[in-house]
Amino acid sequence: EVNDLLEYFNFAHKKDVFKSWYDGYQIGDKEIYCPWDVVSYLSALVAIPSVSPLPYWKNTGSLDLLKSIYAKSPDLYASDVAKLLNHEAIEKELDEGISFVDLATNNNPNYFWTLLFSAGYLTVTDDYVYGSTSRLIIPNRCVYDCFKEIKDWSFSKNNTSFVNTRNKLLQAIFEG
């Protein structure tokens, strides 16, 4: 369908750009593109054919919830986020029965990964099977930029947890 759209609007030469930025989701045996990104970028191209791709989907929401969960226990997530940013798969058991209350009150790291999967930040490399371990990856460049933003934020002055820890560590070093 995406290829047909690109041909219809005379942008077939942009097929690889659309694939790297907006494709990569796996649902059953079907690989799909993010429809919002495809329509948004195609609309932008029709208006200005030289426009570069943007992370449209990312701009429809906020990373605040993910950042707050990550900040509570960064040691539980940092190494796996690093693997994902290195284009490696991670293996997690997803729990589709979680609620926002569970996310706020429980430090089960699988809840964080389940949220990322359910919200489209991660996709499976094989068919998803409930109750089993899933191999998860970042689906495309658009979402990759979200992970980079979380990584950059986690070591910034905007992350009070990091600032407090950093300040305590520096104080301990100075005190010997």
Side-chain angles (χ1 to χ4, degrees), residues 1 19 23-33 123-128:
E1 293 170 336
K19 185 161 187 61
D23 189 17
Y25 294 98
Q26 185 78 24
I27 299 179
D29 64 346
K30 304 289 184 207
E31 189 174 315
I32 65 167
Y33 288 73
T123 191
V124 292
T125 60
D126 303 310
D127 289 344
Y128 171 73

Side-chain angles (χ1 to χ4, degrees), residues 19-91:
K19 185 161 187 61
S20 69
W21 272 82
Y22 310 125
D23 189 17
Y25 294 98
Q26 185 78 24
I27 299 179
D29 64 346
K30 304 289 184 207
E31 189 174 315
I32 65 167
Y33 288 73
C34 175
W36 177 256
D37 284 325
V38 169
V39 170
S40 298
Y41 184 42
L42 188 56
S43 179
L45 281 171
V46 168
I48 305 170
S50 62
V51 71
S52 297
L54 294 171
Y56 299 99
W57 174 77
K58 172 186 161 190
N59 297 326
T60 63
S62 167
L63 295 173
D64 290 346
L65 176 61
L66 300 178
K67 288 176 182 177
S68 69
I69 295 170
Y70 184 93
K72 285 194 306 186
S73 302
D75 54 312
L76 292 176
Y77 312 116
S79 64
D80 286 324
V81 168
K83 285 180 185 175
L84 291 165
L85 286 168
N86 284 324
H87 304 285
E88 297 174 33
I90 60 172
E91 293 188 6

Side-chain angles (χ1 to χ4, degrees), residues 83-138:
K83 285 180 185 175
L84 291 165
L85 286 168
N86 284 324
H87 304 285
E88 297 174 33
I90 60 172
E91 293 188 6
K92 301 294 172 189
E93 187 169 327
L94 304 174
D95 183 352
E96 290 191 43
I98 64 168
S99 68
F100 282 110
V101 172
D102 294 331
L103 287 168
T105 60
N106 192 311
N107 284 335
N108 181 339
N110 286 339
Y111 290 179
F112 179 68
W113 303 114
T114 299
L115 173 64
L116 290 172
F117 171 70
S118 299
Y121 290 94
L122 296 174
T123 191
V124 292
T125 60
D126 303 310
D127 289 344
Y128 171 73
V129 178
Y130 178 79
S132 67
T133 301
S134 298
R135 289 178 45 83
L136 303 167
I137 58 169
I138 297 173

